[in-house]
Amino acid sequence: MTPRAAFDLVVRNADIATAADRFHADIGIVDGRIVALGQGLAAGATEIDAAGRLVTPGGVDGHCHLDQPTGDDTVMADDFASGTVSAACGGTTTVIPFACQQKGQSLRAAVDDYHRRAAGKAVIDYAFHLIVTDPTPEVIQDELPGLIAEGYTSFKIYMTYDALKLNDRQIIDVLATARKHGALTMIHAENIDCIAWLTEALLAQGITAPIGHALSRPMLVEREATHRAISLAELVDTPILVVHVSGAEAIDQIRWAQGKGLAVYAETCPHYLLLTEDMLEDGPRGYQCICSPPPRDEANRQAVWDGLRNGTFQVVSSDHAPFTYAGPGGKLSAGEHPPFDRVPNGTPGLETRLPLLMSEGVLTGRIDIHTFVALSATNAAKLYGLYPQKGSIAIGGDADLVIWDTTTAFTLHNTALHHNVDYTPYEGWAMQAWPAMTLSRGVVVWDGAQASRAHGRGCFLAALAPAAAQPRPPLAARVGAHKVLSNFAFPAAYRP
Ligand code: DUC
Ligand code: ZN
Ligand code: ZN
């Protein structure tokens, strides 16, 4: 009888980079988990030779939209099948899309509906954020606490869009619930009234082309809302994560808050690192690049890179919002040349997120490899309660790995991507990094040529309470606020 191999799989000779360390080792995997890291490990039933290759943790995309009901006649082109295949081909092994409450709907119904949409489709693992659009007393008192306890420990709220936005009082109520139950709130920070006023004025002047989208949402609109979100979070004394931050003035607000010691986290996306508003031309690319906040100018683009380097940002997510350009329910669903305010907001980017950040960030020397891993995987796993199962290469963690090819130069074309969107904003981009292989729990889901079609193998992940959202001792300067909130489940040791 042949003796049983010590490991199901050994990835040999890996040049491993985590958020903290760099070392050469073999990775021993049993039942989808890493059980050994060392040199000269015993044989595996299967072996992959990673000699000469950089190996990083599989990406955790903490902000992407898949099969999310939009509430109007637009429709997302990617569901959990195409979206997770696309993610895997680009090195992402965990996605966290959004179960979005429609106004008038119970949050629980939104979650149940979203589980039905995911069932049997995902090829990689997934958790859900909630989107809270209707914080009724039932939602605040019953549904949110129950759902948080079940593993939906982060939620997004909006300060814009009529169908989604909360007013300041509603934001405070949601933040207070997050504080009480140890959840993390993500905030889309743009001032809806400023946008509405500017949109009306632009349309009245006949400005309908895509650039009108950027003109209707200048940096000030984001800066004001970012500051207000920070102030409301400070009032309630709870952490927030400001999503898709696009430029300097919002970054300044976040750095100011972080400098005061407030728990304010920030996310940006490849499109704010790589695209600028001059791409909002009057043609297909202009419509394709309409997203919110809009791409900004060159100085802001540089400021976002600076924010990655100086630690302002913890997370780079795709904000994959998959609307086709020409297909049904896509960018042109309101006509051949729709006014900018009738174009669904968002760009695709699940598959290109890691390769772009590796190519444009690490290979150019703008960020080091550890910052890359932190921004693309580890920090999102920590902030959203999935660490240490996800987000690192460590004993006991899931064997979610990317084996990189960082030496082959190529030109990106949408035809090579696996999403259901008919364009990429990075068409024709010169790149030099792509996963040679992606493993999800020790299973090859992308081998450099073929994607796994094992739909349904991806598992739902009930998230833990994020460490960042656990009660902290009060800042010395803010004991007063803690007195007001002292009944909010503070541990006795810290009660003022
Ligand atoms: N906000 C998002 O988070 N995604 C797409 C569009 C938007 O406004
Ligand atoms: Zn948003
Ligand atoms: Zn989004």
Side-chain angles (χ1 to χ4, degrees), residues 146-168:
L147 288 165
I148 293 167
E150 288 172 34
Y152 309 89
T153 58
S154 48
F155 31 84
K156 182 176 177 191
I157 56 176
Y158 285 77
M159 299 171 84
T160 190
Y161 298 127
D162 290 327
L164 303 172
K165 80 149 272 213
L166 304 187
N167 64 34
D168 288 356

Side-chain angles (χ1 to χ4, degrees), residues 54-67:
L54 177 65
V55 178
T56 60
V60 177
D61 196 332
H63 183 161
C64 54
H65 303 270
L66 297 176
D67 199 10

Side-chain angles (χ1 to χ4, degrees), residues 181-201:
H181 298 280
L184 182 63
T185 307
M186 309 157 77
I187 302 197
H188 178 134
E190 290 186 297
N191 181 314
I192 188 170
D193 292 317
C194 296
I195 295 168
W197 183 76
L198 285 167
T199 301
E200 229 176 88

Side-chain angles (χ1 to χ4, degrees), residues 35 48 77 83 102 121 124-125 152 158-159 161 191 195 239 291 293 308-309 318 356 387 403 405 436:
V35 296
I48 294 171
Q102 308 293 311
K121 292 196 172 156
I124 55 169
D125 295 344
Y152 309 89
Y158 285 77
M159 299 171 84
Y161 298 127
N191 181 314
I195 295 168
C291 59
L308 295 194
R309 295 161 65 122
S318 67
L356 284 169
Y387 186 84
I403 303 175
D405 176 354

Side-chain angles (χ1 to χ4, degrees), residues 28-397:
I29 297 161
V30 173
D31 290 337
R33 299 172 79 187
I34 297 169
V35 296
L37 291 167
Q39 279 155 5
L41 290 187
T46 311
E47 301 236 343
I48 294 171
D49 188 3
R53 302 264 197 210
L54 177 65
V55 178
T56 60
V60 177
D61 196 332
H63 183 161
C64 54
H65 303 270
L66 297 176
D67 199 10
Q68 184 180 311
T70 60
D72 56 27
D73 54 2
T74 62
V75 60
M76 294 204 167
D78 282 313
D79 63 5
F80 279 81
S82 61
T84 58
V85 167
S86 179
C89 296
T92 286
T93 50
T94 305
V95 288
I96 319 180
F98 298 86
C100 180
Q101 178 194 30
Q102 308 293 311
K103 282 201 185 338
Q105 186 188 32
S106 89
L107 209 43
R108 173 70 66 181
V111 169
D112 291 347
D113 172 63
Y114 212 46
H115 273 295
R116 280 192 293 275
R117 290 168 187 263
K121 292 196 172 156
V123 300
I124 55 169
D125 295 344
Y126 58 95
F128 292 168
H129 303 294
L130 310 174
I131 293 178
V132 183
T133 63
D134 200 0
T136 60
E138 296 72 43
V139 167
I140 292 290
Q141 285 154 26
D142 302 328
E143 290 204 305
L144 269 176
L147 288 165
I148 293 167
E150 288 172 34
Y152 309 89
T153 58
S154 48
F155 31 84
K156 182 176 177 191
I157 56 176
Y158 285 77
M159 299 171 84
T160 190
Y161 298 127
D162 290 327
L164 303 172
K165 80 149 272 213
L166 304 187
N167 64 34
D168 288 356
R169 175 55 202 262
Q170 291 172 315
I171 293 173
I172 291 168
D173 288 340
V174 171
L175 290 173
T177 305
R179 182 184 197 278
K180 188 170 178 180
H181 298 280
L184 182 63
T185 307
M186 309 157 77
I187 302 197
H188 178 134
E190 290 186 297
N191 181 314
I192 188 170
D193 292 317
C194 296
I195 295 168
W197 183 76
L198 285 167
T199 301
E200 229 176 88
L202 288 161
L203 295 176
Q205 291 171 57
I207 299 170
T208 60
I211 191 62
H213 179 73
L215 300 173
S216 72
R217 311 171 101 99
M219 196 72 233
L220 173 158
V221 164
E222 185 182 345
R223 181 242 294 162
E224 184 281 329
T226 301
H227 184 85
R228 186 157 35 103
I230 289 167
S231 301
L232 300 180
E234 181 182 14
L235 175 76
V236 176
D237 184 35
T238 196
I240 53 167
L241 185 143
V242 186
V243 295
H244 45 50
V245 175
S246 72
E249 292 188 26
I251 291 172
D252 288 346
Q253 304 307 308
I254 292 160
R255 282 189 75 74
W256 169 79
Q258 291 170 343
K260 278 164 64 89
L262 301 176
V264 173
Y265 303 97
E267 169 206 88
T268 192
C269 314
H271 35 285
Y272 304 116
L273 294 162
L274 300 173
L275 307 183
T276 47
E277 65 193 358
D278 50 333
M279 292 171 182
L280 291 172
E281 62 210 10
D282 196 3
R285 190 168 67 162
Y287 289 104
Q288 292 165 5
C289 291
I290 286 183
C291 59
S292 289
R296 308 280 181 197
D297 63 13
E298 185 56 23
N300 279 298
R301 192 177 78 81
Q302 295 298 342
V304 179
W305 277 110
D306 290 346
L308 295 194
R309 295 161 65 122
N310 66 25
T312 309
F313 291 108
Q314 289 68 47
V315 180
V316 174
S317 306
S318 67
D319 196 4
H320 182 77
F323 296 103
T324 60
Y325 171 63
K331 294 278 186 182
L332 303 184
S333 54
E336 278 298 295
H337 295 285
F340 67 83
D341 67 324
R342 304 278 313 278
V343 179
N345 288 192
T347 60
L350 250 183
E351 191 166 347
T352 47
R353 178 182 71 114
L354 261 70
L356 284 169
L357 193 60
M358 180 67 86
S359 260
E360 297 284 346
V362 180
L363 299 186
T364 59
R366 285 175 169 128
I367 57 172
D368 65 31
I369 187 65
H370 309 292
T371 306
F372 167 87
V373 174
L375 290 166
S376 65
T378 315
N379 290 349
K382 287 181 175 172
L383 284 163
Y384 300 128
L386 302 177
Y387 186 84
Q389 182 183 355
K390 302 293 186 187
S392 193
I393 298 178
I395 290 173

